[in-house]
Amino acid sequence: MDFGLSDEQRMVVETVRDFVERELYPLEAEVERDGELPLETGRAIQRKVLDLGFYAPNIPEEFGGGGLDHQTFALLERELGRTAMALSVWWGRPSNILCACSPEQRERYLLPAVRGEKLDALALTEPDAGSDLRGMKAFARRDGDDFLLSGTKHFISHADVADFVIVFAATGEDQTPKGPRKRITAFLVDRGTPGFEIRPGYRSVSHRGYHNSILSFDECRLPAAQVLGEVDRGFEVANTWLGATRVTVAAMCVGRARRALDLALQWAASRKQFGQAIGKFQGVSFKLADMATEIDAADYLTLAAAWQLDQGLDANRAIAQAKLYASEMLARVTDETLQIYGGMGLMDELPVERLWRDARVERIWDGTSEIQRHIISRDLLRPLES
């Protein structure tokens, strides 16, 4: 693995960081205050990214996207991680599961998403099916050539602004030695389809303005042409295309942690107590040393996982390690940053308390820390099983 950045990668990092600091940082206070990002502001961000030529960087060039490799895309996500997700979501990265679209579906969903004409959302989680996705209760039954979809999804990010949703639902059941096992199918469902309702979700302390929604389906009729991939093969589609999303979560955690460290360093160098900068006290300076070391370790784990994906290697354990370590590292770094700031760290005049709050959800979504540990330990033990 080459630890040096190519000229293209340096250009990506510098361009995205400059955009984030110049265009997005000034909007953060408004999002935090109102808990909303006006749609017109989001669209303005989107237009600027399109003008930059950086929209849909994760989608292959053959479909009109940027075609970035996993490592370079992780570097881009690392820079976007520095700002609020309510803002960075408008730097369009359509779900790469849309690459499974049929030629006809590409014209209606993938290509408009790449051009910024449509926004997508991904609907997996249900009230009783979080980590156990096979336990989902949303069900699509056949009715002639169509499917009738019923059930509820929740915690669906940015569905409030999406034009269509990629929904996973059970379409049958197999009997296995370990008991019944549901067959899952992915569907493309347009906003406004009869029987499909998008409702406001729950108020979260993390990522204000980046809303989650509740999706309800009541005998929602979907033609067979709305199946993404193959019937009963939804998990195969998801596993093929969605594994890398945990790398992007890890990368965003690294970016957010680096911003927290920058703030901690500035405060430690300027805040004076007992006649000197607090950074000169070992109680603070050692915190900074540990924070920097942990951030670098998470960064290397993340880039190593992305490199394995680029090499076509089995990266499951590396991805799980990156997501686990980076998300837990972010919690420690933001907490220590707040400690260094003292009481001021809890005041909303500064971004410290937001970074601290936002960090908490990273250990939950896209696979909890416990799920990542399960993946890692299973991979370690499997070769030793008799």
Side-chain angles (χ1 to χ4, degrees):
M1 178 180 172
D2 183 0
F3 284 88
L5 299 187
S6 67
D7 290 342
E8 179 192 11
Q9 289 173 329
R10 279 193 291 271
M11 181 272 292
V12 168
V13 169
E14 291 168 4
T15 300
V16 180
R17 183 176 298 180
D18 176 70
F19 186 93
V20 166
E21 294 179 351
R22 178 169 41 84
E23 301 286 349
L24 303 187
Y25 278 6
L27 301 173
E28 290 178 344
E30 177 186 357
V31 173
E32 284 299 299
R33 182 185 66 246
D34 299 339
E36 297 279 350
L37 180 72
L39 183 60
E40 59 270 23
T41 304
R43 291 295 185 186
I45 295 169
Q46 186 185 42
R47 287 192 296 272
K48 290 176 181 178
V49 178
L50 283 163
D51 290 342
L52 272 179
F54 269 68
Y55 203 82
N58 56 316
I59 301 297
E61 290 181 332
E62 64 184 289
F63 302 129
L68 295 186
D69 57 69
H70 290 98
Q71 264 199 319
T72 308
F73 185 58
L75 293 168
L76 181 148
E77 290 285 352
R78 190 179 71 187
E79 297 309 313
L80 289 179
R82 290 175 172 268
T83 193
M85 290 192 72
L87 300 168
S88 66
V89 70
W90 290 97
W91 188 299
R93 289 93 82 209
S95 176
N96 58 1
I97 199 173
L98 291 173
C99 293
C101 282
S102 67
E104 188 273 335
Q105 289 171 338
R106 289 173 194 165
E107 296 298 323
R108 292 193 293 131
Y109 296 104
L110 174 58
L111 298 183
V114 169
R115 294 191 294 262
E117 297 164 3
K118 288 186 176 182
L119 296 175
D120 63 293
L122 192 67
L124 272 164
T125 304
E126 298 181 4
D128 295 318
S131 296
D132 178 19
L133 291 174
R134 289 278 184 184
M136 68 175 58
K137 295 178 180 177
F139 193 87
R141 62 179 177 85
R142 283 190 179 274
D143 184 56
D145 293 332
D146 299 341
F147 289 85
L148 292 176
L149 172 61
S150 294
T152 301
K153 301 288 182 179
H154 76 163
F155 293 152
I156 309 306
S157 299
H158 61 266
D160 56 323
V161 295
D163 298 286
F164 67 94
V165 181
I166 305 161
V167 182
F168 289 78
T171 44
E173 194 171 79
D174 294 320
Q175 296 301 320
T176 74
K178 295 183 178 180
R181 185 179 179 86
K182 290 179 180 175
R183 300 193 299 270
I184 306 298
T185 302
F187 295 91
L188 297 161
V189 186
D190 293 305
R191 175 187 287 272
T193 300
F196 172 34
E197 181 185 7
I198 302 175
R199 305 198 310 272
Y202 317 100
R203 294 184 62 184
S204 174
V205 300
S206 295
H207 300 299
R208 288 177 181 162
Y210 182 72
H211 298 151
N212 67 85
S213 297
I214 299 170
L215 313 185
S216 297
F217 303 91
D218 183 10
E219 296 286 276
C220 178
R221 183 173 293 276
L222 301 171
Q226 298 305 112
V227 172
L228 179 61
E230 298 180 35
V231 175
D232 297 335
R233 303 294 295 273
F235 268 135
E236 285 86 341
V237 173
N239 290 336
T240 299
W241 293 105
L242 296 180
T245 60
R246 290 174 177 172
V247 176
T248 65
V249 172
M252 294 190 88
C253 287
V254 171
R256 204 164 292 130
R258 288 206 184 281
R259 184 176 179 188
L261 177 61
D262 290 344
L263 291 166
L265 288 168
Q266 293 166 16
W267 189 261
S270 60
R271 170 74 168 164
K272 289 184 170 56
Q273 291 287 282
F274 303 103
Q276 63 180 8
I278 62 172
K280 297 208 177 272
F281 294 105
Q282 210 173 73
V284 173
S285 64
F286 280 18
K287 289 183 190 298
L288 297 170
D290 288 343
M291 291 158 66
T293 301
E294 286 203 63
I295 293 170
D296 285 345
D299 205 2
Y300 294 145
L301 272 174
T302 302
L303 294 177
W307 178 85
Q308 288 188 34
L309 284 171
D310 286 330
Q311 303 307 308
L313 303 174
D314 181 359
N316 282 343
R317 188 173 99 196
I319 291 171
Q321 288 175 318
K323 201 275 182 180
L324 170 67
Y325 188 79
S327 62
E328 298 200 344
M329 170 278 297
L330 177 60
R332 292 188 291 269
V333 166
T334 54
D335 194 70
E336 291 289 35
T337 298
L338 196 152
Q339 189 70 19
I340 289 169
Y341 270 76
M344 280 305 299
L346 288 166
M347 303 300 113
D348 61 12
E349 284 83 0
L350 299 173
V352 176
E353 60 87 26
R354 174 177 65 80
L355 294 171
W356 178 62
R357 281 188 289 104
D358 289 351
R360 188 58 187 89
V361 74
E362 307 297 342
R363 287 175 277 167
I364 297 172
W365 60 15
D366 278 278
T368 63
S369 290
E370 290 73 23
I371 289 294
Q372 307 313 316
R373 287 186 167 91
H374 172 68
I375 293 169
I376 296 163
S377 60
R378 183 181 60 190
D379 188 76
L380 291 169
L381 290 169
R382 185 170 287 155
L384 304 177
E385 294 174 355
S386 56

